[in-house]
Amino acid sequence: MLRTHTCGELRMEHTGTEVTLCGWVQRIRDKGGMIWIDLRDRYGLTQLILDESKTAPELLQTARTLGREFVVKATGEVIERVAKNPNLPTGDIEIRLTGLEVLNPAKLPPFLIEDETDGGDDLRMKYRYLDLRRGSVRRNLELRHRMAQQTRIYMDGQDFIEVETPVLIKSTPEGARDFVVPSRMNPGEFYALPQSPQTFKQLLMVSGFDRYYQIVKCFRDEDLRADRQPEFTQIDCEMSFIEQEDILQMFEGLIRHLFKNVKGIDLPEVPRMTYADAMQFYGSDKPDTRFGMPFVELKGAFDTVDLTSGKAFPVFDAAELVVGINAKGCAGYTRKQLDELTEWVKRPQIGAKGLVYVRYNPDGTLKSSVDKFYSEEDLKGWVAQFNTSGEPCEPGDLLLIMAGETAKARKQLNELRLEMGTRLGLRDPNKFSALWVLDFPLLEWGEEDGKPETGRWFAMHHPFTSPKPEDIPLLETDPGSVRANAYDMVINGTEVGGGSIRIFQKELQSMMFGKLGFTPEEAKAQFGFLLDAFEFGAPPHGGIAFGFDRLCSIFGGADSIRDFIAFPKNNSGRDVMIDSPSTIAQAQLDELKIAVK
């Protein structure tokens, strides 16, 4: 080894020891008579010191040729530091140099290699190998490593076996778009990269491997955002001879194990909420439960009372749903603040036509933006509804109300609720609230390419999800009312995992394919191998997959998954560092029998 120690391990007990360190020059401070060099490696930072009166001239000359990010080998004695740095683990000591060797000089980096860098996203992605030297990014990848390590410890302790499944598979029409790979040996035919190992893990259950997991790379050719990448990682799991409750208990155990052993947090028992309740009270199937602010309906499907009728207010009269939230302690918002909030919900991203507010003043009076139409007695009725259906409404609170078509109004109010949670400091990234969401619809009606004539049922999760046993008869009479035997885990308003109990009988799976618009011939062509396997004794089984990158970002208190992936793509799906995707040579295209227009 070129070094005896790392730059993060030396302490006071090492004083008097001769050591050799290797690393990158973080910064140099030359004060004439004294030179200080901060040396950095993956493990930390150590200060080196040269005293002009006690140091050989050639050593001083070498030190003065150094620049940022030079790779050096430094030898010297560990001594007690005069001006200690309590913010640095090695801040009590420094190295009095007796030897210094430049292993490799370096160009001046295009941005500062520090936690608070001056490099923008594009520049840092282009030079990702430099960005990875920054302590903040390194700590993110160390967190990811611990998450993977603790996942394997937990799963091994529960008798799961890690099995690798194929990366070159068959393209299927359901779900997101596939990445496809041409086959040179089979011209005109293509592999697909897996969106998940779904069918393979079900086949492993048929094979008798009753507890499987894999930390696996998956691929989806879809539009990107902060929490999406074209290639991502899942903790993929499947179990046999179980019911939904077994899955919930097992994988709630995994999440609590990760919080305990990675974050040192004892996560309480995870509460459960039905999809219907999530939509009614939060307008989202992944509600952020770090704070309250549940929806209260003044007119809608869930409450028989209509507290808005007979007042000739056209916005409410024409609406399917009138629904609001209680922003605690916000009655003091100025007219300017309320106008700004109204403009915020009118943005194209939200799409609301307006916002109604009711101030519950500290003196107990009520003042609203619709006083022209509603008396104070009417407003007291609204307050009473909030007291009955939501959080207690008290003097000093502000009611924010939206109206419109049910699905749109809920979606818009969900966005407003999250925004108010952010403005009021209720979405602390260091606070964690987990939730199981259950009983999703099995099917949803949609159109191919937005054409009404192509309307058909689509699987809410995927075509292998089992319906609730008691709802199976509704598949023929009322498919939209069938509930899935499915579940999602949500943490801080982000879906981090989802799964279901699977169909394991050929007849029911064939019926499901029929509901999804597959002809028997199409179903056999696409999934005949699975239907055939079900005839050889498939056990009852189910599973779940967690988005590993998302879990890491939540544990790290970040919104984006990018900094928890060593070499991520940008929002256009490009790796700007290696310039990928790129064109390939005509000879390669000819060999693959691919014509490019």
Side-chain angles (χ1 to χ4, degrees):
M1 298 290 289
L2 293 180
R3 60 189 177 187
T4 61
H5 297 79
T6 70
C7 293
E9 68 176 291
L10 296 173
R11 301 291 188 271
M12 282 294 293
E13 58 264 30
H14 295 97
T15 54
T17 306
E18 187 81 9
V19 299
T20 299
L21 306 180
C22 294
W24 289 262
V25 173
Q26 177 81 11
R27 65 178 66 85
I28 306 164
R29 301 179 298 285
D30 188 345
K31 300 298 183 181
M34 302 287 288
I35 300 175
W36 291 273
I37 302 167
D38 289 341
L39 191 66
R40 182 196 71 242
D41 65 9
R42 169 187 148 193
Y43 305 94
L45 186 145
T46 298
Q47 180 171 279
L48 317 178
I49 184 170
L50 296 98
D51 185 338
E52 192 171 75
S53 63
K54 302 176 182 178
T55 305
E58 60 270 19
L59 187 54
L60 290 169
Q61 184 178 355
T62 301
R64 288 188 167 118
T65 66
L66 299 180
R68 282 179 177 265
E69 301 306 310
F70 273 44
V71 186
V72 302
K73 175 183 175 183
T75 301
E77 180 187 354
V78 181
I79 62 174
E80 184 175 358
R81 188 165 167 172
V82 176
K84 294 181 171 59
N85 184 348
N87 299 317
L88 200 64
T90 59
D92 289 342
I93 58 93
E94 57 192 358
I95 310 300
R96 182 191 291 125
L97 286 187
T98 57
L100 183 64
E101 179 185 352
V102 176
L103 299 176
N104 209 348
K107 290 170 59 177
L108 185 69
F111 54 86
L112 289 174
I113 312 298
E114 295 179 359
D115 283 4
E116 299 299 324
T117 182
D118 57 353
D121 286 350
D122 291 342
L123 188 63
R124 291 190 297 108
M125 289 303 101
K126 183 176 180 180
Y127 296 95
R128 181 61 168 174
Y129 48 86
L130 296 180
D131 195 40
L132 288 169
R133 292 181 188 174
R134 295 196 302 125
S136 56
V137 182
R138 185 195 71 241
R139 288 188 291 273
N140 289 342
L141 293 185
E142 289 172 346
L143 171 67
R144 184 186 179 100
H145 163 72
R146 292 197 302 275
M147 295 278 285
Q149 183 185 50
Q150 288 299 326
T151 295
R152 288 190 165 97
I153 288 171
Y154 178 84
M155 299 302 280
D156 185 64
Q158 299 295 328
D159 291 329
F160 282 78
I161 181 171
E162 187 168 9
V163 181
E164 293 183 358
T165 52
V167 174
L168 296 175
I169 65 168
K170 183 176 186 175
S171 183
T172 58
E174 288 290 312
R177 288 180 292 272
D178 288 326
F179 283 102
V180 295
V181 180
S183 170
R184 179 184 60 80
M185 291 182 290
N186 301 278
E189 297 184 324
F190 297 82
Y191 300 104
L193 301 181
Q195 296 182 33
S196 83
Q198 182 62 44
T199 54
F200 289 102
K201 66 180 181 178
Q202 290 192 249
L203 291 171
L204 283 169
M205 297 303 104
V206 178
S207 303
F209 290 89
D210 65 329
R211 293 192 173 195
Y212 142 93
Y213 86 102
Q214 186 180 185
I215 300 178
V216 59
K217 206 67 133 168
C218 301
F219 307 85
R220 290 180 188 170
D221 189 6
E222 59 185 356
D223 296 334
L224 305 179
R225 59 190 188 208
D227 61 346
R228 283 183 181 170
Q229 285 277 296
E231 53 179 306
F232 58 97
T233 304
Q234 288 185 175
I235 306 173
D236 197 63
C237 314
E238 199 80 3
M239 299 173 69
S240 291
F241 304 113
I242 46 82
E243 296 177 321
Q244 176 176 286
E245 185 63 28
D246 301 302
I247 296 283
L248 300 185
Q249 292 289 340
M250 178 65 71
F251 294 103
E252 181 174 324
L254 170 61
I255 294 299
R256 295 175 74 178
H257 174 88
L258 290 175
F259 270 105
K260 178 67 175 177
N261 291 278
V262 176
K263 296 289 289 182
I265 293 173
D266 288 309
L267 194 71
E269 183 177 344
V270 178
R272 302 175 185 185
M273 182 182 297
T274 65
Y275 170 85
D277 283 349
M279 297 307 295
Q280 178 184 353
F281 295 115
Y282 298 98
S284 170
D285 60 1
K286 46 182 183 293
D288 187 341
T289 51
R290 280 174 292 182
F291 64 104
M293 225 179 286
F295 292 8
V296 174
E297 294 186 3
L298 305 178
K299 172 186 178 181
F302 286 97
D303 288 293
T304 55
V305 62
D306 181 352
L307 298 176
T308 68
S309 64
K311 302 298 179 180
F313 181 46
V315 174
F316 284 180
D317 291 343
E320 286 183 356
L321 178 71
V322 179
V323 61
I325 55 174
N326 178 12
K328 302 291 292 181
C330 294
Y333 269 33
T334 64
R335 181 60 182 269
K336 182 179 179 180
Q337 286 176 297
L338 291 168
D339 287 346
E340 186 274 328
L341 209 55
T342 302
E343 291 305 311
W344 189 89
V345 300
K346 286 183 176 179
R347 296 181 310 151
Q349 302 95 310
I350 309 299
K353 293 181 179 179
L355 178 66
V356 170
Y357 66 83
V358 179
R359 282 197 185 98
Y360 195 172
N361 294 317
D363 63 4
T365 60
L366 295 163
K367 183 71 176 173
S368 81
S369 56
V370 288
D371 281 349
K372 180 179 177 181
F373 301 95
Y374 295 96
S375 68
E376 188 161 6
E377 284 304 311
D378 294 325
L379 301 181
K380 286 180 179 178
W382 296 5
V383 168
Q385 181 74 349
F386 271 82
N387 286 333
T388 301
S389 306
E391 295 174 335
C393 192
E394 302 165 322
D397 292 348
L398 177 69
L399 307 186
L400 299 171
I401 298 166
M402 304 183 79
E405 185 270 321
T406 299
K408 286 183 179 178
R410 283 181 179 156
K411 186 175 186 299
Q412 291 160 357
L413 189 60
N414 169 58
E415 296 292 341
L416 178 59
R417 174 183 176 268
L418 294 176
E419 177 66 14
M420 292 304 297
T422 299
R423 294 187 183 199
L424 296 173
L426 302 175
R427 303 180 72 192
D428 181 355
N430 296 310
K431 179 182 176 182
F432 301 96
S433 179
L435 175 74
W436 284 113
V437 179
L438 314 174
D439 295 349
F440 288 82
L442 181 69
L443 304 168
E444 57 184 344
W445 186 261
E447 300 165 354
E448 300 275 7
D449 302 320
K451 299 175 183 177
E453 64 272 16
T454 63
R456 67 175 180 88
W457 291 108
F458 288 82
M460 189 90 162
H461 277 65
H462 54 59
F464 315 108
T465 296
S466 173
K468 288 278 188 179
E470 60 270 28
D471 289 358
I472 290 176
L474 296 174
L475 277 171
E476 295 293 350
T477 59
D478 188 9
S481 297
V482 178
R483 294 167 301 158
N485 213 340
Y487 31 82
D488 281 357
M489 176 166 278
V490 177
I491 300 177
N492 292 0
T494 298
E495 176 203 332
V496 297
S500 66
I501 301 301
R502 321 300 187 191
I503 298 170
F504 67 99
Q505 307 99 333
K506 180 178 181 179
E507 297 75 17
L508 183 56
Q509 187 65 75
S510 297
M511 181 191 297
M512 175 64 79
F513 286 143
K515 289 298 174 188
L516 297 174
F518 288 80
T519 66
E521 295 74 24
E522 289 170 335
K524 183 169 180 58
Q526 292 289 339
F527 301 108
F529 64 92
L530 186 64
L531 294 172
D532 289 345
F534 284 173
E535 294 188 296
F536 289 93
H541 60 281
I544 193 169
F546 290 95
F548 187 59
D549 312 294
R550 287 187 187 179
L551 268 178
C552 291
S553 67
I554 287 173
F555 274 57
D559 292 328
S560 172
I561 65 175
R562 251 188 237 166
D563 280 343
F564 296 83
I565 298 172
F567 297 101
K569 308 292 190 292
N570 68 10
N571 283 344
S572 300
R574 297 195 65 84
D575 185 326
V576 294
M577 181 182 68
I578 64 172
D579 191 25
S580 172
S582 60
T583 57
I584 61 174
Q586 187 61 47
Q588 289 176 281
L589 293 171
D590 293 342
E591 192 173 32
L592 294 167
K593 305 295 190 293
I594 295 176
V596 177
K597 294 183 181 180

